[in-house]
Amino acid sequence: MDALAGRARFDPAEVEAGIIARWIQSGLFHPEPGGDSADAYAIAIPPPNVTGSLHMGHALNGSVQDVLVRYHRMRGIRTKWILGTDHAGIATQMQVEKALRAEGSSRREIGREAFVERVWEWREHYGGTIVEQLKRLGASCDYSEERFTLDEPYARAVAEVFVALHEKGLIYRDRYIVNWDPGTRSAISDLEVEEREETDTLYSIRYDLDGGGSVTIATVRPETMLGDTAVAVNPEDARYGDLVGRTAILPLIGRRLPVIADDYVKSDFGTGQLKITPAHDPNDFEIGRRHGLPQVSVIGEDGRMTAEAGAPYAGLTVMEARAAVIAALEAEGRVVGSEPYLHSVPYSHRSGERIEPLISLQWFMRMDELARPAIEAVQSGAVRIVPESQRKVYLEWMAEIRPWCISRQLWWGHRLPVYYCDSCGGEHVARLAPQSCPECGGALRQEEDVLDTWFSSALWPFATLGWPEDTPQLRAFYPTNVLSTARDILFLWVARMIMMGIELTGRPPFRDVYIHAIIQAPDGRRMSKSLGTGIDPLGLIDGGPRPPVFGDGSHPPGSFPAYGADALRWGLLSMASSQDVRFSEERIAQGQALSNKLYNAVRFALTRIDEQPEVDLQSLCPQPLPLTVEDRWMLSRLQRITVQTTAMIEGYDFSHAALGLYDFVYGELCDWYIEMSKHRLAAGGEGARELAATLLHVLRHTVALAHPIIPFVTEELWGHLGGEGLLAGAEWPRPADELIDEEAERQVSRVIEAVTLVRGWRDSVAARPGQLVPARIAAEGYEETGAALARLARLELASGNGAGPVPVAAVSVPGGTIEVLSEDGLDLHAAQRRREAESARLATEIERVQAKLANERFVQRAPDAVVQAEREKLARLQGEMEAL
RNA sequence: GGGCGCAUAGCUCAGUGGGAGAGCGCUCGCUUCACACGCGAGAGGUCCCUGGUUCGAGCCCAGGUGCGCCCA
């Protein structure tokens, strides 16, 4: 109590660290594995990059998951939030390479072994920040068991999966066209490619035909013509039917190119005659395979032209070669046209460089067989995707899934468990590295490539629990209940987890997939460090730099105030309702206001109760005592908000859960219940004692309901309210049907309306705020609430009925009027304008309702209840008009 | 090229067939014995446009415009 007495504001900075420590120390976040997963609740966190730091997406997703986890823990369910980090192959390797460059070195200079060593050191140094940041957010992860996708047990799971899928024939090696990223010098998967609209020059080039005539092809990549092995037209294209089977001569090179027919060729693009470069265009590659065309690779993995491109071009960069090829063609008079052309160009999501499609020897995973049961799982509802709209996105992508290039020419990651024998040329895939070639005894060398990071991430929900061993953890927590993430990794990660989970464990890895909203910068762009549109969530908790886009108009931009973790959580959750939403600092401020409001409500209750000589706080038993109408109303509303909040959380509607609590705390608990019942505390005695019991009950219940969303302030207040143990481990409030009281709800909502109307009237007659206005209630339905009406509207009620002074004014309220008995200190004249406005409004309303009721078709066809309601409304409005 | 979503107050957003809402901002008032991160009262809207369904449309349907995202 004393701790609260002097402090008018809740100060998150003062209590957050201590509360986190108590939570973690309590062991509440670490459930002992036991029993069956059907009785448990588990969420596997999307593992953040080990060297990353918390961004707004993590903060939102962390808040979402923590609401779910805290709620279920309070329901008494054995609850585990599986924590860990991802080695994030390319991202991490690029960070370390950047550091090496700054030192004037490179990974190639120091060699693979030293480089990998260096990355581990980097991880030791910079890793783990994000886990500490999650603690600051209040995330109730199981910090005692942190996983890492490159840890030894995890690596065993990865090798096991590779070998198993290889044995099934799903993993294979192939020379295939891949997305080559010259920036990382590695192949990347289709999903890591980002298409960007760009304007290039579309050249039209004339190829002569053997035996006379010519074809004209259109291309934005003339340098690739050096690798052409055919010319194609659409088989339906009447113009060119006679060309098929003839031979074109490749300019500059002289190679003879068959003219073929293929459906892929669009007759209305360019001339309808297409050059085919199987080695450098994914579509041409497919056409080449269909027609058995040779593949001529003219661009190498270094992004330069190869020897096969021919002497003048070998060694040139792609752009140099383009200029040289065009110059040579122009010299021959073969460029018959050029025009600007807008098209989409593939870029590497990783390095930002332009993708160079080329043929490379890589490892692939065939996905169609794995996709089938994963599609079925979602179709049957075994896996639910929320919101529903994302379900279709998933199903459509899965239906057209393509092989996944899983090898990466990187050094940081899981090296493929493939061993080559140089003596006999054998290839061995094994869980444990063989000492020598099982066939000839020769020396073995392990595949240099590592696996795509997402390969190991795909195993996350079960590999973190000890799979492939049959561990107690696995039995206790797998399958997990929910996977929460943003939609940008639905394919990259979620779909692959579902496929791998079903394939390897026989069960989908989670029951629900919750796809949360993406929070954009205030200007509508995505939040990103590189765009300058990102903010550090901790800067909102502790106070931190405010980027210009988040400016409050001041120059220079200045900083964010320290809002505290609860404010951040409430704000983010309240924002994230529709698909994309712009960050609004006001919502964070609103969350802070809510925390403070709750804090002060509790502070008020406790300090007032403590002042009562008759009331001993320690022995007081908080319980619902529905004595007065406002008690009954409050307790009834409390049941409703309980049902509502529970349903919102269960339905993943966090925004409405957060906003609903705000409305309850401000609009019902503080503005009305506390205001209506204050005087009973001041009066003391038995009434004060009874009220105290109810008020404390209501506060405890409210604080518990709000805990999953704003855990810090509620945990702090729980202690002051005499709650047993930690609120994080307390029981989730249950609604009590017997406390629902619709009559009390009607009465109190009526008095609320009346108080508001009288206050508005007071304002219009310039009554001083504190002035008691003599009045009489000439309205029905205020038998139990009249005293409250008088107190809150500052009226001095005349005793007796009918007799007494003649009213000087009447304020229309539900059920009648409030008659004002004295004009002392009131400017009744000033109320004239208000009356006129009100009268005009009523007249319009009455007219509309009358017109409606005069409409025969309305009276005939609308439901009786609606018609009846309109009639009652008309009567009410006319009554109000008369009162004026 | 295909698909999905959005358009409501100055700003950020609720509102899925029956009297247009919240927070912030704005105006006016308030040392009302919890809270100025507060309290009270106000001003502010062609619910993007056109057409349709319906007794009745912000809400349902069609078309259009603008913006965003995903896939190819």
Side-chain angles (χ1 to χ4, degrees):
Chain A
M1 238 98 343
D2 295 340
L4 291 178
R7 295 157 191 266
R9 283 187 190 183
F10 172 61
D11 182 4
E14 198 176 318
V15 298
E16 283 179 0
I19 291 174
I20 293 166
R22 279 160 60 209
W23 281 335
I24 292 178
Q25 202 184 2
S26 74
L28 278 168
F29 299 172
H30 173 66
E32 288 304 324
D36 187 83
S37 67
D39 310 319
Y41 188 85
I43 294 181
I45 197 169
N49 292 359
V50 61
T51 61
S53 57
L54 205 71
H55 58 57
M56 215 45 82
H58 295 125
L60 170 59
N61 199 23
S63 303
V64 163
Q65 293 169 87
D66 199 45
V67 169
L68 293 169
V69 163
R70 282 183 186 271
Y71 163 73
H72 283 93
R73 188 182 293 120
M74 289 175 81
R75 297 290 302 252
I77 296 167
R78 192 160 30 82
T79 299
K80 183 182 177 84
W81 188 357
I82 302 164
L83 176 68
T85 53
D86 195 290
H87 67 281
I90 295 180
T92 310
Q93 172 158 336
M94 281 175 67
Q95 280 187 345
V96 177
E97 284 195 77
K98 194 173 156 196
L100 282 174
R101 266 200 305 283
E103 296 168 16
S105 181
S106 73
R107 69 167 157 131
R108 292 184 201 285
E109 191 179 314
I110 65 174
R112 183 165 191 155
E113 205 172 316
F115 179 79
V116 170
E117 186 59 33
R118 188 66 196 262
V119 186
W120 278 103
E121 280 169 23
W122 181 273
R123 183 228 171 198
E124 285 308 310
H125 201 82
Y126 298 101
T129 320
I130 200 159
V131 172
E132 292 310 307
Q133 291 175 318
L134 281 168
K135 289 181 186 168
R136 292 296 320 279
L137 187 67
S140 58
C141 311
D142 186 352
Y143 294 99
S144 64
E145 288 183 0
E146 188 185 325
R147 305 298 183 209
F148 181 51
T149 53
L150 268 186
D151 277 343
E152 223 283 306
Y154 205 105
R156 276 202 301 275
V158 170
E160 170 64 31
V161 172
F162 187 95
V163 174
L165 297 183
H166 181 263
E167 282 170 356
K168 269 191 103 169
L170 295 176
I171 289 179
Y172 57 95
R173 204 178 189 204
D174 193 12
R175 280 183 59 82
Y176 200 85
I177 194 151
V178 297
N179 306 297
W180 186 261
D181 175 6
T184 57
R185 291 225 181 166
S186 173
I188 60 176
S189 75
D190 296 341
L191 289 170
E192 291 164 308
V193 175
E194 176 192 335
E195 302 285 338
R196 294 187 204 159
E197 297 268 289
E198 263 180 22
T199 302
D200 277 320
T201 304
L202 182 68
Y203 295 97
S204 295
I205 301 165
R206 181 168 47 82
Y207 290 14
D208 289 334
L209 287 168
D210 191 20
S214 67
V215 293
T216 301
I217 57 91
T219 180
V220 290
R221 300 209 54 191
E223 71 281 6
T224 63
M225 69 173 281
L226 302 170
D228 284 2
T229 57
V231 167
V233 297
N234 191 291
E236 308 294 321
D237 195 329
R239 294 172 295 173
Y240 305 134
D242 56 343
L243 287 182
V244 177
R246 294 190 60 188
T247 301
I249 309 296
L250 182 62
L252 307 183
I253 302 288
R255 185 159 48 236
R256 298 171 64 82
L257 311 176
V259 179
I260 59 173
D262 196 284
D263 286 337
Y264 171 77
V265 182
K266 284 175 248 154
S267 301
D268 56 356
F269 176 78
T271 55
Q273 299 168 337
L274 187 66
K275 72 191 217 27
I276 303 297
T277 319
H280 297 291
D281 181 283
N283 293 310
D284 293 7
F285 180 85
E286 295 298 338
I287 294 170
R289 282 211 164 178
R290 281 201 285 276
H291 296 270
L293 299 175
Q295 299 160 347
V296 179
S297 293
V298 293
I299 300 167
E301 294 181 349
D302 55 1
R304 290 176 180 272
M305 306 307 286
T306 64
E308 280 197 272
Y313 309 107
L316 297 184
T317 66
V318 168
M319 294 315 279
E320 288 165 352
R322 180 174 303 175
V325 165
I326 287 299
L329 290 171
E330 273 173 347
E332 293 188 14
R334 295 189 172 276
V335 180
V336 298
S338 67
E339 55 181 307
Y341 180 64
L342 183 71
H343 66 142
S344 60
V345 179
Y347 278 84
S348 165
H349 212 80
R350 297 298 171 185
S351 68
E353 292 204 20
R354 190 167 174 156
I355 291 296
E356 203 55 72
L358 50 78
I359 292 170
S360 174
L361 184 58
Q362 300 285 347
W363 288 87
F364 294 87
M365 192 189 293
R366 221 179 66 223
M367 305 304 289
D368 48 356
E369 213 171 294
L370 296 172
R372 224 167 292 127
I375 288 169
E376 161 62 20
V378 168
Q379 272 172 340
S380 70
V383 173
R384 280 188 303 228
I385 298 181
V386 182
E388 176 101 19
S389 59
Q390 294 300 314
R391 182 186 134 103
K392 201 177 146 197
V393 178
Y394 168 93
L395 289 173
E396 282 175 6
W397 184 76
M398 291 290 274
E400 294 191 19
I401 198 162
R402 301 195 303 183
W404 172 17
C405 175
I406 55 172
S407 48
R408 294 289 181 276
Q409 289 64 58
L410 303 175
W411 286 352
W412 176 242
H414 294 279
R415 219 159 143 179
L416 273 65
V418 181
Y419 306 86
Y420 303 106
C421 174
D422 288 328
S423 317
C424 69
E427 177 186 300
H428 306 282
V429 172
R431 289 171 179 82
L432 297 171
Q435 292 303 305
S436 57
C437 179
E439 278 163 34
C440 73
L444 290 171
R445 121 191 105 71
Q446 186 173 1
E447 169 65 63
E448 298 279 321
D449 290 354
V450 301
L451 287 162
D452 181 3
T453 297
W454 296 105
F455 187 97
S456 51
S457 314
L459 319 178
W460 185 250
F462 45 95
T464 47
L465 295 172
W467 186 93
E469 310 301 325
D470 180 23
T471 63
Q473 278 86 358
L474 195 65
R475 284 195 299 271
F477 301 112
Y478 187 87
T480 64
N481 294 70
V482 183
L483 189 282
S484 173
T485 184
R487 64 178 176 280
D488 52 355
I489 51 176
L490 181 62
F491 308 139
L492 223 40
W493 188 47
V494 180
R496 287 165 178 172
M497 271 191 290
I498 297 175
M499 290 186 275
M500 296 296 233
I502 294 174
E503 169 69 18
L504 298 157
T505 70
R507 287 181 290 181
F510 27 74
R511 179 75 182 79
D512 290 349
V513 175
Y514 173 64
I515 307 288
H516 63 68
I518 290 176
I519 297 186
Q520 306 167 328
D523 62 359
R525 290 186 292 170
R526 69 192 172 88
M527 281 201 177
S528 144
K529 218 188 261 179
S530 52
L531 289 176
T533 51
I535 29 175
D536 177 1
L538 263 57
L540 288 165
I541 295 179
D542 297 330
R546 177 199 295 277
V549 206
F550 295 84
D552 52 5
S554 61
H555 296 282
S559 352
F560 289 119
Y563 287 110
D566 290 326
L568 175 66
R569 294 168 60 118
W570 188 93
L572 292 177
L573 290 167
S574 76
M575 269 178 243
S577 53
S578 57
Q579 278 214 332
D580 284 334
V581 78
R582 295 188 186 195
F583 179 82
S584 103
E585 189 178 345
E586 291 77 26
R587 281 292 173 85
I588 310 288
Q590 204 180 338
Q592 183 190 30
L594 174 62
S595 302
N596 192 57
K597 190 74 173 175
L598 257 186
Y599 172 86
N600 270 295
V602 171
R603 184 168 83 101
F604 165 76
L606 293 180
T607 48
R608 280 297 97 75
I609 292 167
D610 207 31
E611 285 165 12
Q612 300 298 319
E614 301 92 339
V615 183
D616 174 23
L617 199 57
Q618 302 310 315
S619 65
L620 188 69
C621 175
Q623 57 186 308
L625 299 173
L627 299 174
T628 66
V629 67
E630 69 265 18
D631 289 337
R632 286 183 277 127
W633 171 77
M634 182 77 269
L635 291 166
S636 188
R637 300 304 302 165
L638 187 63
Q639 309 319 308
R640 305 231 190 246
I641 189 69
T642 305
V643 171
Q644 183 190 324
T645 304
T646 305
M648 298 285 103
I649 294 176
E650 299 252 2
Y652 303 105
D653 188 354
F654 305 103
S655 151
H656 287 105
L659 291 165
L661 282 165
Y662 180 95
D663 288 343
F664 175 76
V665 169
Y666 272 76
E668 307 198 87
L669 174 59
C670 292
D671 287 353
W672 298 104
Y673 184 61
I674 291 182
E675 292 303 327
M676 286 172 102
S677 51
K678 263 179 180 174
H679 73 285
R680 289 157 68 196
L681 273 181
E686 179 61 13
R689 209 185 60 77
E690 287 162 347
L691 172 66
T694 303
L695 184 54
L696 285 185
H697 165 79
V698 171
L699 287 169
R700 276 194 192 181
H701 191 115
T702 303
V703 150
L705 272 183
H707 182 257
I709 294 176
I710 45 174
F712 289 101
V713 67
T714 50
E715 186 68 79
E716 174 71 10
L717 294 175
W718 182 254
H720 291 295
L721 286 166
E724 221 172 290
L726 287 167
L727 177 54
E731 198 184 339
W732 181 252
R734 288 166 197 281
D737 288 347
E738 67 276 15
L739 289 173
I740 297 279
D741 188 332
E742 289 184 6
E743 175 56 24
E745 290 189 24
R746 262 194 300 278
Q747 285 192 41
V748 173
S749 60
R750 167 172 285 220
V751 77
I752 286 173
E753 201 180 331
V755 167
T756 306
L757 285 163
V758 175
R759 282 172 174 169
W761 174 83
R762 290 179 61 108
D763 217 51
S764 72
V765 296
R768 281 179 292 105
Q771 181 184 352
L772 284 177
V773 173
R776 179 167 54 218
I777 299 175
E780 298 189 349
Y782 297 90
E783 292 73 19
E784 289 187 73
T785 55
L789 169 60
R791 267 194 314 279
L792 295 179
R794 303 247 161 200
L795 301 175
E796 187 175 33
L797 290 186
S799 51
N801 244 349
V806 178
V808 297
V811 182
S812 146
V813 295
T817 63
I818 304 298
E819 294 175 348
V820 180
L821 304 178
S822 159
E823 58 184 309
D824 289 354
L826 306 178
D827 181 1
L828 288 180
H829 197 65
Q832 187 58 29
R833 274 183 57 196
R834 178 189 165 88
R835 263 202 307 277
E836 280 164 10
E838 179 67 4
S839 163
R841 188 188 67 83
L842 282 173
T844 319
E845 285 272 307
I846 288 171
E847 205 175 321
R848 206 165 63 188
V849 177
Q850 279 173 335
K852 217 171 183 181
L853 287 169
N855 182 344
E856 274 178 40
R857 294 205 294 174
F858 169 73
V859 180
Q860 270 171 19
R861 301 203 193 181
D864 290 345
V866 172
V867 177
Q868 189 54 33
E870 289 294 323
R871 290 207 173 103
E872 283 166 15
K873 188 163 121 192
L874 180 61
R876 203 189 70 229
L877 290 171
Q878 282 167 338
E880 284 180 29
M881 190 63 130
E882 271 177 49
L884 265 182

